[in-house]
Amino acid sequence: MEVNDNSNQTKIDEILKNYAQLLVSKNCTGWVNLFTHDAVKYDPPRPARGRAQLLSFCHNAVDSLKAFSYVYSRDPVIIQSDGYRAITQWVLGGVQNSGIAFVQTGIDSYVFTSD
């Protein structure tokens, strides 16, 4: 079921906007603070569990790049079940420290809680 509640839609849009902006600005502490203490992010090579591992994941990711941009390629789809979930399609492009340019795309699924 799609969410018709504009206030929750606005909050989720703001969180996702901050997610991308904090990554691009390499503000890993701010990015990690968007997550709950027990959050899990599933990315290779293994899931990051909790804020300490998320912080390490973020630093490893952004420190390996000279420059990059992270954008959503379409508006998030928000659904309501037990809480709110958002599905986004994103594009990441930039230059690695080795000088190699790259473009990557993917789809992420987020679960939002009241805290």
Side-chain angles (χ1 to χ4, degrees):
M1 161 184 351
E2 210 161 308
V3 173
N4 293 323
D5 182 344
N6 287 338
S7 66
N8 284 324
Q9 174 77 40
T10 301
K11 288 176 193 174
I12 291 170
D13 286 344
E14 188 65 28
I15 290 168
L16 292 173
K17 178 181 168 186
N18 288 337
Y19 182 101
Q21 288 175 341
L22 291 164
L23 278 179
V24 171
S25 67
K26 298 186 176 187
N27 181 344
C28 289
T29 300
W31 179 78
V32 164
N33 287 330
L34 294 173
F35 294 87
T36 58
H37 293 281
D38 60 349
V40 179
K41 180 166 178 45
Y42 293 95
D43 267 291
R46 65 192 152 279
R49 298 178 188 279
R51 286 186 174 168
Q53 287 184 11
L54 286 166
L55 186 62
S56 178
F57 167 84
C58 183
H59 282 298
N60 288 337
V62 301
D63 291 348
S64 68
L65 305 172
K66 283 185 182 180
F68 72 100
S69 181
Y70 181 98
V71 296
Y72 298 110
S73 54
R74 53 183 55 199
D75 290 338
V77 174
I78 312 292
I79 56 173
Q80 182 181 8
S81 55
D82 49 341
Y84 289 94
R85 298 173 188 267
I87 307 210
T88 63
Q89 184 175 5
W90 51 265
V91 176
L92 173 66
V95 179
Q96 297 172 342
N97 287 334
S98 63
I100 297 172
F102 70 94
V103 174
Q104 182 180 355
T105 187
I107 296 174
D108 279 335
S109 174
Y110 304 89
V111 178
F112 296 91
T113 61
S114 60
D115 54 338

